[in-house]
Amino acid sequence: MNRTSADLVVVGSGPGGAMTAALAAEAGRDVLIVEEGSNYTIDSAPSFSLAEMDQKYRNGGLNVTFGQTNITYLEGRCVGGGSEINAGLYHRPLATTLEQWREFTRIADFAPAQLWPHFEAVERECQVASFPGGNGPASALLRMGAGKLGWSTREIARFWRYDQGADGAFAGRRQSMSETLVPRALRAGARLLADTRVLRLDHRGGRVTGLVVLRGGRREQIEAKRVVVCAGAVQTPRILRRSGLTHNVGDSLRLHPMIRVTATFREEINDPAFGVPTEQVDQFKPDLTLGCSYSSIPHLALWMGAEQGGKRDRLRDYRRTGIFYVAAVGTGVGTIRDLPVLGEPLVRLPLTGDDLARIGEGLSKLGQLLFAAGAVEVSNPVAGEAAFRDAAALEATARKLPQGRMAVSTIHLFSSCPMGDDDRVTATDSFGRVHGFSNLYVNDASLFPMSPAVNPQGTVLAIARRNALRMLGG
Amino acid sequence: MSKNPLRARLDTVVRALVETAIADELGRDDLDGVPFVAETAEVMTRRLLGMQRYLGGGLMMMSLAFDAGTRATDGAAFHALPLARRRRALARVRGLQFGVANSFADFYGKLGGFTFWSHLEENHALDAVLGKGS
């Protein structure tokens, strides 16, 4: 068996891992990043394309949590992790959310005022920006509809860099981890092992001694003085559990369930060339977020209801139709286990009655907004049911959404190894060190005690920065 | 090298299901001149094989069982039925409204449709299906 060694091994190169690796390498540590996926550039495939799904999504994007309603979830599996495939929306969470976390699991040194400097550093160092050329027709429509109802909206900044060309037009480029923190870590001397799957951690007497990995079909041993697991909310607990570490590991997964509808208007509201519309209705935060999605023809076909006559006529007129979503703070708590023999993950999570009521409330509000903005038709998220022509019909459906008959999805998963000093409910201490270990850490969205109630990437980066600096003695 | 018979049967059944899903997307009972049908079926087979084995394996078994099951209801294996009758057979599954049936119908209907339209868009071939200027 081949042997490699490093002072610090970071498992995973998504936001948590990339931040940890960059800070550690810049602090002079001998860092090795181990990533299960391959190393692609951000330009290797168009965003949201079939090729991108093949290259960068785990299982081509087909992962499911099981419950009365199955929820499809996406995970990045490539250098840069989820940051390579998400919309890159940046938020700070509400101070009240962070205070709720602190109380829930007794997190030390976690007052909002102690955390804001980390968010400021992320905003400064990871290229958080708004598009200088406005945020597109679908966003304008969302803003207009919300305005008629007296609801507040906000343009959300993104991890994006915008450069103005000689013709005055702005060109944007995603600032994912493969563009920012991974190269920064490598420039500071970190090494990267892509296409390398961690099978288990070896440990003795409360210390990790190394990792067993699978690389090119062969098992290899990596010796490590310290290990930070940042493989995301599903893979991190799997690695820990495979290594025999089970205390509050993989028992408390949470997520943001999301449903989508298409809405058709008399006028053109869809410009797929514009990319992801970034306006969100923030009137109902933290429980609910309403917004608009990337609305290319394939995506419209995906979310449009099936009708006898097919979708051809409706798609021919695609510029009058857009995709809109309701994202909720889920109340269900799920588990992650590996199936015996197969060694594949079984993720179970209930979509609770409260979740259905909350999503229904969001759908009702979204319907009000869309019809107020001039929609002539809104698709029905319940499979096989007819589209809505007015807000009242939509509201009647929204009040009693059925289990198991809606397409519910998410890309926001967290809380599977929560942090805090209350070890009855946490897997790690207040800074991500796994209970009972002196040199094993978690530093990704798994640590969140509860939902951040916003797109989580900014919070992952800020908390990873906080914890990494603490680990490095800063 | 010749294909293993089970894999060959799977390819045939997936192709038949994908053709049916595309016919539903387009609202018609023939696919004359419609491009990227074979490519869509290839991607869908790849997705089945790339999923977690217990999910992909389940869907594969359901696909094969559904193909054989229409012998009893429609007098022939699903892949041997004319497209219009295949559409009616798949619509019956959608109408069952329980979890496993919905997952099966959604895999081919939603993901098959998405894959088909993605092929058209990525190859600048939408006009072939939607008409000029789309």
Side-chain angles (χ1 to χ4, degrees):
Chain A
M1 193 152 56
N2 280 346
R3 283 179 180 273
T4 311
S5 67
D7 287 346
L8 176 66
V9 172
V10 177
V11 180
S13 60
M19 175 64 84
T20 305
L23 293 175
E26 286 169 352
R29 303 296 199 277
D30 167 31
V31 176
L32 177 66
I33 307 167
V34 178
E35 166 58 50
E36 183 180 4
S38 299
N39 191 7
Y40 295 105
T41 66
I42 197 70
D43 301 319
S44 65
S47 290
F48 311 116
S49 66
L50 294 175
E52 186 183 69
M53 290 171 76
D54 281 337
Q55 289 179 357
K56 299 180 181 176
Y57 288 50
R58 182 176 297 280
N59 300 322
L62 298 175
N63 309 286
V64 179
T65 73
F66 289 95
Q68 273 183 287
T69 295
N70 297 341
I71 301 174
T72 305
Y73 66 92
L74 300 178
E75 285 184 283
R77 182 177 172 272
C78 57
V79 170
S83 73
E84 308 297 318
I85 62 167
N86 64 17
L89 298 176
Y90 172 80
H91 295 259
R92 287 189 192 192
L94 296 172
T96 49
T97 299
L98 297 172
E99 280 160 358
Q100 204 181 5
W101 288 15
R102 181 175 62 170
E103 286 169 22
F104 181 49
T105 57
R106 291 201 283 114
I107 310 176
D109 299 332
F110 204 74
Q114 293 170 292
L115 297 170
W116 297 144
H118 298 290
F119 283 92
E120 286 160 12
V122 168
E123 290 157 20
R124 202 169 49 242
E125 296 169 11
C126 296
Q127 300 266 5
V128 174
S130 297
F131 181 51
N135 59 355
S139 287
L141 180 134
L142 197 80
R143 201 164 46 242
M144 184 263 282
K148 283 189 176 178
L149 297 164
W151 300 343
S152 60
T153 66
R154 195 156 70 92
E155 182 184 352
I156 308 303
R158 301 173 79 188
F159 291 98
W160 226 261
R161 196 186 73 212
Y162 298 100
D163 297 315
Q164 194 165 20
D167 60 355
F170 288 95
R173 189 171 175 85
R174 179 198 294 273
Q175 295 300 287
S176 60
M177 295 302 107
S178 69
E179 287 279 296
T180 55
L181 293 176
V182 171
R184 193 172 129 187
L186 298 179
R187 280 197 300 275
R191 290 168 288 154
L192 171 65
L193 269 187
D195 302 302
T196 304
R197 178 169 187 253
V198 174
L199 298 176
R200 66 164 196 274
L201 310 174
D202 286 333
H203 54 93
R204 192 173 52 242
R207 283 190 66 78
V208 171
T209 54
L211 307 86
V212 179
V213 301
L214 194 63
R215 186 162 187 249
R218 291 183 6 182
R219 281 175 184 245
E220 296 183 10
Q221 180 88 34
I222 298 173
E223 292 172 359
K225 292 183 180 160
R226 197 181 282 187
V227 175
V228 186
V229 185
C230 315
V234 175
Q235 305 308 320
T236 287
R238 292 186 67 207
I239 291 169
L240 296 181
R241 292 190 73 90
R242 281 202 298 269
S243 309
L245 310 178
T246 57
H247 179 66
N248 295 323
V249 170
D251 293 337
S252 52
L253 179 73
R254 296 168 188 258
L255 49 76
H256 291 158
M258 178 183 276
I259 61 165
R260 291 177 174 84
V261 295
T262 60
T264 302
F265 295 80
R266 288 197 173 83
E267 66 277 21
E268 292 191 353
I269 56 102
N270 181 12
D271 181 4
F274 191 85
V276 176
T278 54
E279 197 80 6
Q280 287 183 347
V281 176
D282 61 358
Q283 178 79 24
F284 311 107
K285 281 186 185 298
D287 291 347
L288 282 169
T289 303
L290 314 180
C292 24
S293 293
Y294 178 61
S295 298
S296 70
I297 286 178
H299 288 84
L300 285 170
L302 183 61
W303 297 109
M304 199 170 253
E307 286 185 10
Q308 198 61 35
K311 299 173 181 170
R312 198 161 50 156
D313 290 343
R314 289 178 288 158
L315 291 176
R316 193 180 283 137
D317 215 5
Y318 73 95
R319 284 189 176 274
R320 296 196 299 122
T321 305
I323 301 170
F324 298 83
Y325 65 81
V326 175
V329 169
T331 60
V333 177
T335 60
I336 301 163
R337 296 288 184 271
D338 267 14
L339 288 170
V341 185
L342 287 175
E344 293 180 332
L346 177 65
V347 182
R348 285 177 292 195
L349 186 135
L351 189 73
T352 65
D354 286 347
D355 292 336
L356 279 178
R358 192 171 281 179
I359 292 168
E361 182 190 345
L363 177 63
S364 172
K365 291 183 184 320
L366 182 62
Q368 289 175 49
L369 184 156
L370 294 171
F371 284 111
V376 292
E377 183 179 285
V378 176
S379 68
N380 193 324
V382 180
E385 300 294 329
F388 305 108
R389 307 258 177 209
D390 59 68
L394 185 149
E395 187 170 356
T397 294
R399 271 200 298 267
K400 44 182 178 30
L401 291 176
Q403 289 277 12
R405 290 186 53 209
M406 291 184 300
V408 183
S409 63
T410 191
I411 194 170
H412 302 163
L413 304 104
F414 31 78
S415 305
S416 52
C417 303
M419 64 179 177
D421 284 348
D422 183 351
D423 67 4
R424 293 169 304 173
V425 290
T426 58
T428 81
D429 71 8
S430 289
F431 293 88
R433 187 171 54 81
V434 175
H435 290 312
F437 281 79
S438 60
N439 65 343
L440 174 62
Y441 298 78
V442 170
N443 211 9
D444 61 23
S446 311
L447 293 176
F448 296 2
M450 305 163 94
S451 158
V454 290
N455 301 64
Q457 186 173 327
T459 309
V460 171
L461 284 162
I463 288 176
R465 186 177 188 277
R466 162 193 183 264
N467 294 353
L469 290 175
R470 169 78 170 217
M471 178 185 74
L472 296 166
Chain B
M1 201 164 65
S2 64
K3 271 187 196 170
N4 125 5
L6 190 60
R7 174 61 198 273
R9 170 54 63 96
L10 181 69
D11 286 346
T12 302
V13 172
V14 170
R15 169 76 185 244
L17 284 158
V18 166
E19 285 173 354
T20 312
I22 293 172
D24 281 341
E25 289 289 296
L26 300 178
R28 53 193 264 193
D29 290 336
D30 71 84
L31 293 179
D32 296 345
V34 176
F36 295 106
V37 176
E39 290 83 351
T40 301
E42 279 168 28
V43 171
M44 294 298 286
T45 305
R46 198 162 73 233
R47 293 275 180 268
L48 272 174
L49 297 171
M51 290 168 80
Q52 290 159 24
R53 281 166 290 180
Y54 69 91
L55 291 175
L59 275 170
M60 283 183 233
M61 282 193 285
M62 284 181 68
S63 303
L64 295 170
F66 175 67
D67 183 64
T70 57
R71 287 182 203 280
T73 55
D74 295 77
F78 179 76
H79 72 268
L81 292 171
L83 201 46
R85 289 178 64 192
R86 279 196 238 155
R87 289 183 67 194
R88 287 198 290 276
L90 198 56
R92 285 201 300 271
V93 176
R94 272 198 298 273
L96 290 175
Q97 298 187 355
F98 67 88
V100 175
N102 289 346
S103 300
F104 174 74
D106 276 357
F107 176 76
Y108 289 103
K110 282 182 170 288
L111 192 63
F114 174 78
T115 304
F116 170 66
W117 292 108
S118 294
H119 271 302
L120 293 176
E121 184 179 71
E122 291 171 17
N123 291 284
H124 310 288
L126 284 164
D127 281 358
V129 171
L130 294 181
K132 289 282 177 212
S134 50

